Each structure stands twice: as structure tokens, then as C-alpha cells.
Amino acid sequence: MRALVAMSGGVDSSVAAALMKEQGWEVMGVTMKLWQGPDGEAPTAGCCTVSDAEDARRVAARLDIPYYVWDYTEEFMSGVVGGFIDDYLTGRTPNPCVECNRTIKFSRLLAHADALDYDVVVTGHYARVTSDGGRYRLWRGVDPDKDQSYVLSMLGQDQLARLCFPVGDLTKDQTRSMADRLGLRTARKPDSQDICFVGQGNYREFLAGQGVAPTQGPIIHQDGRLLGVHHGITNFTIGQRRGLGVAVGQPLYVTDIDPDAGVVTVGDRSDLGVDEVTVEEMSWVDRPVAGALLAQYRAHGRAAPAEVSLEDGVAIVRFAESQEALARGQTLALYLDDEVVGGGIIRATA
Amino acid sequence: MLYLDHAASSPLRPEVWAAMEPFRLDVYGNPSGSHAISRSAKNALEDSRDLAASLINADPSEIVFTGGGSEADNLAIKGRAFAGSRRGAIVTSPTEHDAVLMSAEHCSSFGSVVSYAKVTADGLVDPAEVASHVSADTAVVSIMMGNNETGVRLPVEEVVTGVKAAHPAAIVHTDAVQGYVSERVDVDVLGVDLLSLAAHKFGGPKGVGLLYVRSGTPLVPLVHGGGQELGRRSGTHNVMAVVGMAAAMAALEEERGAFGARVMGERDAFESTLNELMPDLVVTGAGAPRMVQTAHVRIPGVRNEMLLVRLDRAGLAASAASACQSGAAAVSHVLEAMGMSPALARECLRFSFGWSTGEGEGARAARLVAGEAGALR
């Protein structure tokens, strides 16, 4: 049986590869080159760097498995980065990691694995898959601090049948000590942060670098007062408090962004509350589920109790308690206890 | 194992290793010294220089040993651009090796004006157009002999004639790293003033090359120091590697005719067999003169990265010709300059043959490629 391990050059996917090899799979390592500088070279800082690929290559050599770097920069640019920019231009808060998983890792890479006769694709995500009477179920990873099931909530049966997340059964400490024990050079490598293509800079600089020209517009208070002028809606996300450029003597938060009118609305913290969201592009792990569930709308956020009803492929999620700073564009994952049942994209908040 | 990546690097020829072996332990002196141990190293170095010079019809004083082909290209471009009191202009083409292109770009950041001659869809330059870019300010014209990716043989002789007819004092460089593998080089027949070679492309060791510098060509060194190589390249010589390079040149010349016939025979058999099995195969540069050792092909509908993995697994080593630093297959600047779209460039692979290619390997490789590519369609 053959396993293709997506190796980022970090410790999690290094250990994932080692575990598959230990279990007797014929393993191949692949680093997906997703992002490049204007010179066509991999970046030297941030994620997807030349040194990350070098780390992955050395780990693969240590494990004695074949290793390749595949170029997905065009797909990543048109799909993930394009969507990221579009989301900001339309006042939404993008989740590029989910989009990358959906359009690249678990579609393109999976297809390429098929073409090369690989039975499964393996990643270093902290999540668990079990099979139950021929149906696959997706669970949170055992380490609550590292759980990444949120970014996998769009996976369905066809994909789960061909995916393995071997570190989902480990805590991060166990992963690191295993890497240490195996002498993998990535054992103490810090976790990656930030959005890989934005790197250490902020996303506003990134958007400017991509030629997104800001347009001025008004900043208006919930109560209708004109408070000032902003320099482009892409500078704002729902719930943002800092850098608003207006001062009225009490903390203000962005409560709404109207891309068509170019208006940014701000208000008090109490104005941030969201009781209900409409979730589109719903994808279900097995079958649609409604009723009392847990809803999570940030990668490492808490899951909040909610009542879910389904209408024409759209999920209406009504929270038991009002939630702060939910934004259009964010992914919402639905859980039954620790089991992922599905996920979609927030299109409207109320 | 079918090794069809000689254009990346060839295995060391056994006779070359035999020539190098005494230098592993026994001949360890610094050739710049004065005692007997140094003298034996110096003799070996100069014998190698004499041999290398004679094989390309140069004078020994015109040979500068370098740390490889890229260094030779760098020395040719930067050495010329920085040779005058002003930054000299550079004329080249967009299908050159990155060692030339990046050197030119570096010089442009110091004030050199760089102009690029157009390339046809078959990878050729028009000698008259190259000449039209040349002026009294031109420090060097650099047009390669054979392209390392596509295998296209460029009209270097006509470029030299055209350039020198318009500007007799102009200096012309050619990167012959691949061209020399395909055919004998006579610097006077080519007419060039500077010419780069790399030993490991024809059975010599890696990390050694040479730049032929026509007598009287002013050149600023890249490496300053002890003044070795008549001040053109300082640093203690890697005598063992230099000996290996000269031995590899001699081995190549000794079997030149047979080598060309055998390698071209296998290459041609590869292309024709593959074309029979895959009628939609496209051979790059088919309308241009080509070197004997390279088959650069496009297999429509098959992504080169995927095919390379299947071939690797099946025991055939080839390449997508152009890789970025991370090791991913990059969209080749050569194919882009020839007007090919990135999508088509991702369907291209290079198979390159060499001294160790055995009889029948071309057809065998073609059948294997057709099978693996077929599985991807």
C-alpha cells in the first residue's frame, strides 16, 4: 500500500511520514510549493520557504523515502490568493487555509496521488478519522490545544476514505518527542504562524503589494454619526478595534463593512453581538445534520452551542448565547461533541 | 536504471578517475610552491592546461581554470562588463543559461545596459539582429553554442561574423558547456573570444570548468588574491579536478566520431520510437539544428512533475530541465522566451544521452516513457 505524505518541512508532517513508514506503508514525501516571490523563486522567509523544503528533503532522506517538490503556485494564486483578495474587497473575512485545503490539498494533490497509484494522502493535521461500517467519521485531534479539525470541516466521504492524519492521535509534545527520538531535524522547529503567503508582514501590506488600490470612504457610527474617513475597506475586518483612525472617548469596534457603498460602520462592544448566521456552501462529512450542535467559527476558537436548521442547502445557525465578532467569509464548522459533522462559509449575520 | 540526465551531469569516466587517482593522496603540493612536491603538482596542472588548450585549438595561456561552467560564465560577463572605466554594455538572449542572465542582471544594477536579442519559436537567434544591438559601448556579446534545455544548436559562427563585421573590436562569448559535448570546438573556427566549458557534462569531475580567453582580451577577475591563472582567477588550484577535466576532454575527443554517432543514434531511436507510440508527441526545436545528445519533448496532456515521479519509480532518470531553488519544476524561462505558454511548458521533459548510454537504451526508454505517460492520460 502506498502513502503520499504532504510534507511542509514542519515537525507534524515529518512525524506523520515516519509513522506511516513505521506502519509498513510504501511512503513518498511531497512538498507543495504554493507561493513564490516575483522572481519565481520560493520565498526565503515565512512559510513555503526554500529552507522548509530543504528540511522536508532531509527528513525524507533520513526516513529513506523518495521526495519531490511539486509546483502548485498557479492554482494557489488563482484560487486561494485570488479569493483572499476578493474577500477583502467585498468586506468579508477570508479563511485561506480552509480554501487551500479545499481546492488544492484535498482535491489537486489527491488527484495527483491517484494518478501515481497512491492509496492515501497523509498530512500532519491534528484530527482523527475513523471508519464505521464503511462510513468515515472525522474527529477532533486528541490534543485540544492543537486540534485542526476546523480547517478540515469541508471534507466528505470520498476524501476521508483516502486520507490519514497519523498525528491526530498524539499531543504536540508526543509528536515532538517522537521526532526527537527519531533524530528528525524538525523536532524543535517552531510551529508556523500567520498566513503562509502574507508571512510576517501584515495583510494590508500584502494587499497593497498585489495592487489592491484603496478607496476612501466614510466611517459611520451605529447611531448614524459620521466619525471620519477611512482609506479603504480592505483595512478593516469585523470586530477590529485598533487602527480605526477615529476617537470618541470610548472603545469602538467595526460592526459592519458595506463594500458597495464603501462604508465602514463602527459601534460599541455590545453592537458586535451576533445571534444567528446563515452558512452557505455547506459540506457534510456524512449526511446533513440539524438540531442542537456546537458551532466553531475560528481555527482555535471555542465551539459555541447552537441550534441548526437546514433550508435549501443553507444552514441557519442560531447561537444559544450571542457571539462576538463573527464575520462574513469565515468558515463555520459544526460538531456533535468532538465529532465534525460539516462546515460551510458564513454569508450573513444577524 | 536508465540514466538519461547527462545534461544535468554525466557519470565520471573510468579513465578519468584513473588519471585523477594519484592526486587523491600522492600529489598534494600547492602548485604555486617551489619545492619538488609543489613542482609535481604544478607540472600536472600545466600538462593539463596544455592538453585542454590543444584540444580546442587555443594557446595554454588562454585557458583559465574555474570552479565550473557557471563561474566561467560569470567571469566572462562580469569580467568584461567591469573591465573598462565605464560599465560596459551586454548583448545576450533570453534563452541563455541563468549563469549568463543573472550575471548580466547583476551588472545592470551597476550601470551596464543589457539588451536581449529575440528568439524564434524554434529557439534560434537571428545573427543580424544580435549584431544590431552591438555598439562601441558593448563589452561582451554572449550567445550560447547549444541550449542546455532544448538542445538547440545556435548559429554562434554567424553571430561572431555578423557582430565583428559591424564592430571588429567587439568581444563575443559563448557558453559551450553543452555544445562541446555534441561537437568538437575550435575557438578559431567559432571565432569567439571567450568560451565556457564544464567538465562534469562529459565524464569529468564536478566543480571544475574553464574559460577560454583569447589573448589580448581585457578581463577583470572575480576572485582576487594570490594571482593564480595569470591574475584572472586567484585561489589554490584544485589540481586533481583540473587533471580530471583535461583527461575527460581527451577521452571525449578520442571517441568523438563514435560518440556522436552512438549518442545521436540512441537519441533518434528514442524520439522515433516514442513518436510511434505517442503520435501527438512534439519535439522542441524540431525545425532547428540540434545537438546530438538532447531530446526535449512535450507530451500533450501529461504534467511533467507527475511523469517524472512515475519514471523515477520505474528506474528512469530524466528531468524537467529547469528547477527552482526549492527543487520544484519551474516554468522554464527558455520555453517562455520561445513563446510557449506555462501550461504547455509543464508538459515538457528533457532526456539527455551521454558517454555511458548503452546500445538500445533509447528505444527501451521510449517504450517505458510511453507506458508511464499513458497511465497518466
Side-chain angles (χ1 to χ4, degrees):
Chain A
M1 295 284 274
R2 290 181 173 139
L4 185 161
V5 184
M7 297 179 73
S8 64
V11 63
D12 301 327
S13 50
S14 299
V15 169
L19 285 168
M20 295 307 282
K21 168 105 181 176
E22 235 173 41
Q23 290 166 20
W25 291 74
E26 182 186 330
V27 180
M28 164 170 88
V30 171
T31 293
M32 309 175 74
K33 184 187 172 199
L34 299 172
W35 180 245
Q36 62 186 17
D39 57 356
E41 290 292 353
T44 50
C47 186
C48 293
T49 62
V50 172
S51 76
D52 285 332
E54 208 49 42
D55 283 339
R57 191 189 319 277
R58 297 291 302 279
V59 167
R62 173 118 201 158
L63 299 174
D64 193 22
I65 58 172
Y67 170 82
Y68 306 92
V69 181
W70 290 347
D71 190 343
Y72 291 93
T73 50
E74 284 149 32
E75 292 96 328
F76 189 77
M77 187 69 203
S78 60
V80 180
V81 179
F84 179 84
I85 296 170
D86 273 358
D87 275 352
Y88 272 110
L89 287 174
T90 50
R92 293 194 288 250
T93 303
N95 196 325
C97 302
V98 172
E99 196 56 19
C100 176
N101 283 340
R102 196 173 69 80
T103 60
I104 300 189
K105 260 185 218 134
F106 301 121
S107 56
R108 296 287 286 159
L109 185 63
L110 215 44
H112 288 155
D114 280 348
L116 298 174
D117 309 325
Y118 277 77
D119 302 286
V120 293
V121 165
V122 180
T123 70
H125 283 108
Y126 284 85
R128 288 171 295 150
V129 181
T130 58
S131 87
D132 184 359
R135 303 303 289 173
Y136 294 87
R137 302 173 72 177
L138 178 63
W139 306 82
R140 288 193 191 274
V142 299
D143 187 336
D145 295 333
K146 286 293 159 191
D147 167 51
Q148 291 172 310
S149 56
Y150 170 83
V151 294
L152 304 173
S153 60
M154 83 307 292
L155 295 174
Q157 290 291 308
D158 287 352
Q159 294 155 314
L160 290 172
R162 292 176 295 150
L163 291 174
C164 287
F165 309 121
V167 301
D169 293 313
L170 305 179
T171 64
K172 185 80 184 198
D173 286 347
Q174 288 173 323
T175 303
R176 285 202 186 279
S177 60
M178 174 155 186
D180 226 356
R181 200 167 64 242
L182 294 171
L184 304 183
R185 61 198 268 121
T186 49
R188 303 212 175 123
K189 199 169 164 179
D191 288 1
S192 58
Q193 303 286 342
D194 310 321
I195 297 166
C196 68
F197 54 94
V198 174
Q200 313 222 311
N202 70 42
Y203 79 90
R204 296 176 186 92
E205 287 167 27
F206 172 81
L207 292 174
Q210 294 294 311
V212 174
T215 318
Q216 288 192 345
I219 299 181
I220 294 175
H221 195 276
Q222 287 269 358
D223 64 17
R225 277 179 293 157
L226 175 65
L227 296 183
V229 171
H230 69 74
H231 300 281
I233 60 164
T234 57
N235 292 318
F236 302 93
T237 49
I238 303 285
Q240 181 177 335
R241 183 163 76 94
R242 297 213 172 115
L244 302 187
V246 292
V248 294
Q250 80 235 46
L252 288 175
Y253 299 83
V254 175
T255 59
D256 192 28
I257 298 168
D258 181 341
D260 299 324
V263 175
V264 172
T265 307
V266 299
D268 303 331
R269 185 161 182 179
S270 62
D271 297 321
L272 281 179
V274 169
D275 299 315
E276 187 183 288
V277 293
T278 308
V279 185
E280 293 182 352
E281 295 176 52
M282 278 304 301
S283 147
W284 301 99
V285 170
D286 191 355
R287 61 182 76 85
V289 181
L293 294 170
L294 296 169
Q296 182 176 329
Y297 48 89
R298 278 201 209 102
H300 296 290
R302 243 171 19 87
E307 186 67 24
V308 177
S309 55
L310 307 176
E311 296 170 14
D312 302 332
V314 170
I316 311 293
V317 178
R318 187 157 187 86
F319 291 102
E321 285 174 32
S322 181
Q323 302 291 308
E324 271 185 7
L326 260 89
R328 292 188 300 274
Q330 282 177 315
T331 291
L332 183 131
L334 293 172
Y335 293 82
L336 195 58
D337 294 327
D338 279 344
E339 181 174 8
V340 182
V341 296
I345 295 171
I346 297 172
R347 284 295 172 229
T349 59
Chain B
M1 185 77 192
L2 282 164
Y3 185 74
L4 296 185
D5 205 13
H6 285 261
S9 199
S10 263
L12 200 66
R13 287 174 182 260
E15 63 267 46
V16 170
W17 176 239
M20 291 169 71
E21 222 195 336
F23 295 84
R24 194 169 53 134
L25 293 172
D26 303 338
V27 188
Y28 54 82
N30 185 327
S32 301
S34 61
H35 43 67
I37 291 170
S38 280
R39 280 199 302 277
S40 66
K42 175 72 171 168
N43 281 339
L45 175 68
E46 295 310 322
D47 282 350
S48 300
R49 191 189 311 279
D50 289 351
L51 178 56
S54 71
L55 294 173
I56 60 171
N57 191 27
D59 186 84
S61 67
E62 295 175 316
I63 302 295
V64 178
F65 286 113
T66 67
S70 285
E71 187 191 325
D73 284 346
N74 272 258
L75 180 56
I77 304 298
K78 297 176 194 168
R80 282 299 304 151
F82 292 100
S85 54
R86 291 187 301 151
R87 297 290 80 87
I90 299 162
V91 177
T92 185
S93 102
T95 60
E96 292 295 311
H97 191 276
D98 273 338
V100 167
L101 294 176
M102 296 294 123
S103 292
E105 202 171 287
H106 179 71
C107 293
S108 100
S109 70
F110 287 89
S112 287
V113 175
V114 183
S115 12
Y116 300 92
K118 283 194 290 288
V119 176
T120 67
D122 270 326
L124 294 171
V125 292
D126 171 9
E129 201 233 332
V130 176
S132 74
H133 292 282
V134 180
S135 72
D137 293 332
T138 304
V140 64
V141 178
S142 185
I143 297 294
M144 71 199 329
M145 186 173 168
N147 187 274
N148 52 303
E149 290 186 30
T150 61
V152 168
R153 165 68 153 90
L154 286 94
V156 182
E157 297 87 339
E158 289 82 353
V159 167
V160 172
T161 309
V163 166
K164 301 228 172 192
H167 298 273
I171 300 296
V172 182
H173 165 251
T174 194
D175 174 338
V177 167
Q178 299 289 342
Y180 178 66
V181 181
S182 178
E183 60 190 281
R184 197 176 113 77
V185 160
D186 179 323
V187 290
D188 285 344
V189 172
L190 282 177
V192 294
D193 306 287
L194 300 160
L195 176 142
S196 306
L197 295 182
H200 73 113
K201 304 296 188 187
F202 48 86
K206 293 162 185 62
V208 61
L210 66 79
L211 182 68
Y212 159 77
V213 183
R214 187 173 291 279
S215 178
T217 307
L219 201 65
V220 166
L222 301 177
V223 184
H224 299 82
Q228 287 89 343
E229 299 295 286
L230 303 178
R232 295 167 298 191
R233 204 274 193 178
S234 288
T236 301
H237 293 93
N238 184 347
V239 178
M240 184 179 187
V242 165
V243 166
M245 174 160 197
M249 291 173 72
L252 178 59
E253 291 309 341
E254 172 138 351
E255 65 151 1
R256 181 63 88 177
F259 174 92
R262 186 176 76 241
V263 166
M264 187 162 70
E266 293 303 325
R267 191 276 308 270
D268 288 351
F270 172 81
E271 288 182 356
S272 61
T273 308
L274 191 56
N275 198 207
E276 273 167 34
L277 297 168
M278 310 197 99
D280 56 350
L281 183 80
V282 184
V283 175
T284 310
R290 294 193 295 144
M291 297 188 290
V292 298
Q293 74 271 32
T294 315
H296 187 276
V297 298
R298 185 167 72 77
I299 303 175
V302 176
R303 191 165 163 124
N304 54 15
E305 285 174 326
M306 299 297 120
L307 182 52
L308 282 174
V309 173
R310 289 197 86 102
L311 293 175
D312 192 7
R313 199 160 72 196
L316 192 158
S319 92
S322 184
C324 86
Q325 250 182 305
S326 65
V331 168
S332 148
H333 71 273
V334 173
L335 300 179
E336 191 185 358
M338 290 161 67
M340 195 184 280
S341 73
L344 297 189
R346 289 197 180 285
E347 298 174 342
C348 290
L349 284 181
R350 179 186 69 188
F351 300 86
S352 48
F353 301 73
W355 72 267
S356 65
T357 304
E359 199 180 324
E361 282 192 10
R364 192 146 66 85
R367 287 191 291 274
L368 204 148
V369 170
E372 296 296 338
L376 287 171
R377 278 187 165 171

